[in-house]
Amino acid sequence: MFQSSFSKGYLGLLLATGLTAQAQQKHTFEIKDGQFRYDGQPTQIHSGEMHYARVPKEYWRHRLKMMKAMGLNTVATYVFWNYHHPTPGTWDFKTGSHNLPEFLKTAQEEGLFVILRPGPYACAEWEFGGYPWWLQQNKNLVIRANNQPFLDSCNVYLRKLAGQVKSYQVSHGGPVIMTQVENEFGSYVSQRPDVPLAEHRKYNAAIKQQLAAAGFEGPFFTSDASTLFEGGATPSTLPTANGEDNVERLKKSVNQYHDGQGPYMVAEYYPGWLDHWGEPFTRVSTEQVTKQVETYLKNDVSFNFYMVHGGTNFGFTAGANYNEEHNIQPDITSYDYDAPISEAGHVTPKYTAIRELMKRYVKYPVPAVPAPIPVITLPPIALSKAVELFDLKRDLKPVSNDTPLSFEDLGQSHGYVLYSKRFTQPAQGKLEVKGLRDYATVYVNGKLVGELNRQQNKYELDVQIPFNATLELLVENMGRINYGADIVHNTKGIISPIVLNGAEVTGNWNMYKLPFDRVPDLAKYPAKNKEGKPTLYTGFFEVKQTGDTFLDMRSWGKGIVFVNGHNLGRYWKIGPQQTLYVPGCWLAKGKNAVVVLEQQNDVLHKELKTTDKPILEDAQ
């Protein structure tokens, strides 16, 4: 009788804590004799990258089932430090898509291994490469360097992360089989020859030591182009090659830095590519992808599709690049990536072709493709009220300073700042804002006089300012640079003097912070709508049956959209993206609300349309 009661109580404890017998069973994953071995058996990794932060939590399981049905056995994901640590002292591993432990648990339930890529640097076309914006407030801190304040910050993050995930490692019965050390560090070494290689290597070694000390067990790996292993590889760590299509070159490079043996893995194979505003959408052919993947399969090369499913840069999470022609190249909101599984989780011809290929080669069963998420369209959504953005100033206390302050100095992460100054004397001539980061509409006495645009390297315009007039610049942060040497120069707003007719404009600048970290309440503001004025539109719509849909923004200018409080991200008429993805799980049966911030407002709007298909290739 006593034994029976004890057994029932123990079983109840297991169920209450979610520790099933299967989850308690411990396994091994190791690199031995030039191979990946799971419980001692040689194992080839067939992985796909999916970032849980870019997919609504409600859709995680569907997307993971899609991966499994494509023939994969592993999911790889970055952890974005800034996603979980938005402000000093604030951590979030619980709400919505921040719940990383739930993602790991779901992956295991779907029969997938997990490769964890904790950074602390991620890249990934994500805001600031995953770094928290507020690191830049510490003037003694140098990111991605053998710098003690930075290493101390990394250590806090990695220990906090380890507390969330170390029990999900394979040795504890979890799905996590490998952990990455830093990310593409060899690229950064090549971009920063001003830093001695010995200092770079000290930093890389310090990150690995921090990971191990925090409780990450490995095996550890690095990820670089095969030509950059000299800067990116670190001792006793498997080097893997990004974008490597030549098997012999892959093996030669790995052998050189891994005691003459494998295993051999392409940690990022690109079946698509990233996309910027104002540039053509990039496509990679299905034939090219299947041919390359078959080469890997025939030669026992492990691989990870980057991306297998891209998802969406919701809110202000999109990062940016730069090149010789553009001082910044902001990434579009969609992270579709021309991946096998589309942004909305749909089967593509590329998906089907890869699935058929995998079924011919893998020894494990490949399940059926899950049913798609329903897609709906809605009647045109009537926009019942319009409010001038400038009217929100009445409830905002400005920060005053002799010169304009950056977002960081204002303690603001993302969104917009309205820089305002009243002139007691008339002035006219060339207005120069060389420190613009990144986009501004410029007003004199509330009238639009032009725009400045870092993406187009446009930093000046002619203005005429009457006596007792107010000059205002509505400045947008279009996403911090996530890749390259300039990642260390990532402050936003206006970061250097404003000049008019060759003279610095100083004295009594007022700065109104508009972070749009939540949807504004427009009920208390008067209805007002004029061309050229930044305007907030709001409306309500009924939904009988929920499903995914796409907002058609082709008639709009530039801005952001909230649906039921969720920031869907940016739209911009220059394309190539012309729709915004609305996950059906964010809609409710019955009444729903939408708010649009339209920065340009060249056209007065009465309605908002939807469509059942994304438009990602329509540049204007």
Side-chain angles (χ1 to χ4, degrees):
M1 185 70 179
F2 173 79
Q3 185 176 9
S4 176
S5 298
F6 177 81
S7 298
K8 288 180 179 178
Y10 183 63
L11 177 60
L13 177 64
L14 287 179
L15 292 174
T17 56
L19 296 174
T20 65
Q22 180 183 6
Q24 283 186 307
Q25 184 177 348
K26 296 179 180 180
H27 297 275
T28 61
F29 188 88
E30 59 186 338
I31 293 172
K32 187 176 181 180
D33 300 327
Q35 294 177 312
F36 294 120
R37 291 181 176 268
Y38 178 68
D39 286 345
Q41 298 301 309
T43 300
Q44 190 175 13
I45 296 172
H46 307 137
S47 177
E49 187 102 2
M50 165 184 155
H51 303 145
Y52 59 92
R54 284 179 156 130
V55 180
K57 178 184 175 182
E58 295 86 346
Y59 288 171
W60 284 348
R61 190 176 298 277
H62 175 265
R63 306 303 196 256
L64 293 168
K65 283 181 180 292
M66 290 283 290
M67 293 172 57
K68 185 84 171 177
M70 202 178 87
L72 304 184
N73 61 11
T74 305
V75 57
T77 187
Y78 280 121
V79 181
F80 300 125
W81 178 1
N82 55 14
Y83 192 63
H84 296 286
H85 199 185
T87 60
T90 303
W91 295 89
D92 186 359
F93 287 97
K94 298 295 183 186
T95 67
S97 295
H98 296 83
N99 195 334
L100 173 56
E102 183 69 20
F103 177 77
L104 300 177
K105 178 173 175 288
T106 305
Q108 183 170 30
E109 290 170 352
E110 294 304 324
L112 291 166
F113 294 131
V114 176
I115 294 174
L116 207 61
R117 310 180 75 183
Y121 167 73
C123 185
E125 292 71 62
W126 186 267
E127 151 77 17
F128 206 1
Y131 291 130
W133 65 274
W134 44 265
L135 290 177
Q136 298 176 108
Q137 292 178 314
N138 182 347
K139 304 305 180 186
N140 296 317
L141 185 149
V142 183
I143 68 163
R144 220 175 179 192
N146 186 36
N147 165 267
Q148 200 57 49
F150 179 62
L151 290 174
D152 290 344
S153 296
C154 292
N155 196 41
V156 170
Y157 157 63
L158 292 174
R159 287 184 177 277
K160 190 76 173 181
L161 176 62
Q164 299 292 320
V165 304
K166 61 185 177 183
S167 64
Y168 290 89
Q169 294 178 111
V170 67
S171 65
H172 298 265
V176 178
I177 55 172
M178 291 203 299
T179 299
Q180 184 174 333
V181 178
E182 234 273 353
N183 181 55
E184 297 180 323
F185 192 62
S187 296
Y188 193 62
V189 170
S190 70
Q191 294 154 0
R192 293 296 307 275
D194 55 307
V195 178
L197 181 58
E199 283 297 297
H200 280 308
R201 285 178 170 163
K202 285 179 183 178
Y203 161 73
N204 213 8
I207 293 301
K208 183 184 177 184
Q209 188 277 327
Q210 287 185 359
L211 285 162
F216 293 94
E217 297 171 354
F220 294 110
F221 71 99
T222 58
S223 179
D224 285 290
S226 59
T227 56
L228 299 172
F229 282 4
E230 178 65 15
T234 194
S236 303
T237 305
L238 176 69
T240 65
N242 287 354
E244 183 56 78
D245 57 4
N246 185 301
V247 171
E248 292 309 311
R249 187 164 55 220
L250 168 69
K251 292 182 176 180
K252 181 179 179 181
S253 299
V254 172
N255 289 346
Q256 183 179 349
Y257 292 89
H258 198 247
D259 299 326
Q261 62 181 0
Y264 307 105
M265 181 169 180
V266 176
E268 291 186 5
Y269 168 63
Y270 307 113
W273 195 242
L274 59 95
D275 299 286
H276 302 127
W277 291 111
E279 299 177 23
F281 189 87
T282 306
R283 294 285 185 189
V284 177
S285 74
T286 296
E287 181 183 11
Q288 178 181 333
V289 172
T290 53
K291 182 179 179 181
Q292 186 59 50
V293 172
E294 187 163 24
T295 299
Y296 296 148
L297 291 167
K298 285 179 176 178
N299 288 277
D300 294 324
V301 172
S302 292
F303 56 87
N304 174 48
F305 287 103
Y306 189 102
M307 301 288 297
V308 71
H309 172 55
T312 310
N313 295 315
F314 293 115
F316 298 119
T317 60
N321 293 302
Y322 61 94
N323 63 12
E324 292 181 358
E325 290 79 36
H326 302 280
N327 293 335
I328 194 169
Q329 297 168 290
D331 294 305
I332 65 174
T333 297
S334 172
Y335 202 58
D336 179 271
Y337 214 86
D338 194 29
I341 305 169
S342 78
E343 177 183 12
H346 300 160
V347 169
T348 65
K350 193 176 292 182
Y351 177 96
T352 302
I354 296 169
R355 170 178 156 82
E356 293 306 311
L357 173 67
M358 296 296 293
K359 285 167 66 177
R360 296 205 307 269
Y361 279 89
V362 301
K363 295 181 174 64
Y364 47 79
V366 176
V369 179
I373 304 294
V375 177
I376 62 173
T377 56
L378 302 167
I381 299 168
L383 298 171
S384 54
K385 187 176 182 180
V387 171
E388 277 190 15
L389 178 67
F390 291 164
D391 282 352
L392 272 60
K393 289 194 296 182
R394 77 181 193 195
D395 295 317
L396 299 175
K397 183 179 179 181
V399 177
S400 297
N401 196 60
D402 194 47
T403 56
L405 297 173
S406 70
F407 276 44
E408 288 73 18
D409 287 338
L410 291 167
Q412 182 171 322
S413 55
H414 309 103
Y416 310 80
V417 169
L418 181 64
Y419 294 82
S420 180
K421 176 179 168 53
R422 186 172 64 86
F423 281 67
T424 58
Q425 298 296 325
Q428 63 181 15
K430 183 184 293 184
L431 181 74
E432 298 177 85
V433 192
K434 294 182 178 178
L436 174 67
R437 306 291 186 268
D438 299 299
Y439 175 90
T441 41
V442 183
Y443 309 86
V444 174
N445 279 346
K447 182 179 180 181
L448 180 67
V449 296
E451 69 175 42
L452 302 174
N453 185 345
R454 188 181 177 201
Q455 186 262 350
Q456 296 175 356
N457 307 333
K458 183 181 178 183
Y459 298 106
E460 59 186 48
L461 57 79
D462 291 329
V463 297
Q464 188 165 349
I465 305 171
F467 164 74
N468 202 32
T470 300
L471 172 70
E472 292 181 299
L473 297 90
L474 179 62
V475 176
E476 177 188 7
N477 165 8
M478 292 276 306
R480 291 177 178 85
I481 288 167
N482 57 260
Y483 178 81
D486 275 359
I487 197 170
V488 298
H489 307 298
N490 245 331
T491 51
K492 291 296 184 176
I494 296 176
I495 68 167
S496 66
I498 292 178
V499 173
L500 179 58
N501 272 342
E504 182 178 351
V505 181
T506 60
N508 299 313
W509 278 98
N510 287 323
M511 286 147 280
Y512 297 86
K513 301 197 290 184
L514 298 161
F516 281 92
D517 49 353
R518 59 180 62 87
V519 62
D521 179 6
L522 303 179
K524 59 184 176 180
Y525 299 104
K528 204 184 299 181
N529 194 4
K530 294 182 180 178
E531 289 183 15
K533 292 284 189 77
T535 300
L536 291 151
Y537 293 88
T538 185
F540 299 92
F541 58 98
E542 294 286 329
V543 173
K544 293 181 179 179
Q545 189 66 43
T546 61
D548 291 350
T549 192
F550 301 88
L551 299 182
D552 186 345
M553 308 306 296
R554 282 177 290 185
S555 66
W556 295 71
K558 190 178 197 301
I560 57 175
V561 182
F562 291 88
V563 170
N564 292 336
H566 296 277
N567 187 337
L568 303 181
R570 298 182 181 92
Y571 65 88
W572 195 1
K573 64 183 179 184
I574 68 172
Q577 177 177 355
Q578 300 291 346
T579 52
L580 285 174
Y581 172 53
V582 184
C585 57
W586 290 353
L587 298 177
K589 286 186 179 180
K591 191 175 183 180
N592 295 263
V594 62
V595 173
V596 182
L597 168 59
E598 168 57 49
Q599 296 160 240
Q600 297 176 337
N601 211 34
D602 296 337
V603 178
L604 305 186
H605 296 275
K606 297 295 185 183
E607 63 183 22
L608 184 61
K609 296 179 180 179
T610 64
T611 179
D612 60 356
K613 291 182 177 61
I615 303 170
L616 300 176
E617 298 182 81
D618 187 6
Q620 293 187 10

